[in-house]
Amino acid sequence: MGAIKKILAALILVAAIVLITAYFMPRNYAVEREIIIHKPVDSIFTYVRYLKNQNEFSVWANIDPKMKLTYKGTDGSVGALSAWESKVKEVGVGEQEITKITEGKRLDFALRFKEPMNDTAVGFMSTESLAADQTKVKWGINGVIPYPMNIMLPFMKMDQMIGNDLQKGLDNLKAKMEE
């Protein structure tokens, strides 16, 4: 009986340490990547503002060619929504909604993931003219990992995991725009 109490006390102590540590760990993540594309800023912004076009360069959209896509609202404007459904775990089920447009400069959107996990994030794509035929495109995603799951954040390598996909997507965008 004494051994069971010691094991139980040790388990409670370990759980308490994990919960206390998680309380002080960061909960937010922010990942950004950028690329320079040799095209005018207006042509780049006009292209990326449409959700249907984003599926042509996004890594996630290309993982499952059988993914079901649906669109609501006026594409390229605030409130436009792109929803996806896939049996492929890396793609899952979710939706992206345009929440704000700063004409010619920035597109903000909400990301709502429903499967394989329920999560939300916010993202953006921005364009900045560097020269008449040179544009810097930045793509970013920010989110929050809820307590106590945030204890996993340092081990998840969000910058690498999401960042690599953002960079591949920007590389795809560059190739498409510079054709």
Side-chain angles (χ1 to χ4, degrees), residues 56-70:
E56 293 181 17
F57 61 85
S58 167
V59 170
W60 301 294
N62 292 311
I63 291 174
D64 181 9
K66 295 178 183 177
M67 171 177 58
K68 180 183 172 194
L69 292 167
T70 55

Side-chain angles (χ1 to χ4, degrees), residues 57-59 62 167-177:
F57 61 85
S58 167
V59 170
N62 292 311
Q167 190 62 54
K168 287 177 191 170
L170 288 171
D171 292 341
N172 293 342
L173 176 62
K174 179 180 174 82
K176 181 153 199 64
M177 297 304 294

Side-chain angles (χ1 to χ4, degrees), residues 4-137:
I4 292 175
K5 285 184 180 180
K6 287 181 182 178
I7 291 171
L8 186 58
L11 289 174
I12 291 171
L13 181 63
V14 168
I17 290 170
V18 167
L19 292 173
I20 290 168
T21 303
Y23 183 78
F24 293 101
M25 298 285 293
R27 293 185 179 107
N28 299 325
Y29 66 88
V31 181
E32 291 182 8
R33 293 294 185 269
E34 62 184 49
I35 198 164
I36 295 174
I37 300 176
H38 297 281
K39 284 286 186 184
V41 69
D42 59 330
S43 65
I44 303 287
F45 187 81
T46 299
Y47 184 78
V48 299
R49 77 181 293 157
Y50 292 98
L51 297 173
K52 288 181 182 175
N53 290 346
Q54 290 182 20
N55 287 324
E56 293 181 17
F57 61 85
S58 167
V59 170
W60 301 294
N62 292 311
I63 291 174
D64 181 9
K66 295 178 183 177
M67 171 177 58
K68 180 183 172 194
L69 292 167
T70 55
Y71 299 93
K72 293 179 184 172
T74 304
D75 197 5
S77 63
V78 172
L81 190 112
S82 168
W84 66 89
E85 290 182 43
S86 172
K87 295 186 188 313
V88 176
K89 184 181 175 187
E90 293 81 13
V91 179
V93 177
E95 61 188 21
Q96 175 179 349
E97 180 181 2
I98 298 174
T99 57
K100 182 180 177 184
I101 297 173
T102 305
E103 199 58 49
K105 296 182 187 230
R106 186 174 163 118
L107 176 74
D108 291 282
F109 48 88
L111 292 164
R112 295 181 281 270
F113 305 100
K114 298 173 183 177
E115 290 179 21
M117 63 185 169
N118 193 357
D119 192 20
T120 59
V122 294
F124 73 90
M125 290 195 84
S126 67
T127 55
E128 177 187 346
S129 180
L130 301 177
D133 66 341
Q134 204 174 48
T135 303
K136 183 191 322 183
V137 180

Side-chain angles (χ1 to χ4, degrees), residues 132-148:
D133 66 341
Q134 204 174 48
T135 303
K136 183 191 322 183
V137 180
K138 198 181 283 188
W139 194 359
I141 296 178
N142 308 304
V144 177
I145 305 290
Y147 171 83

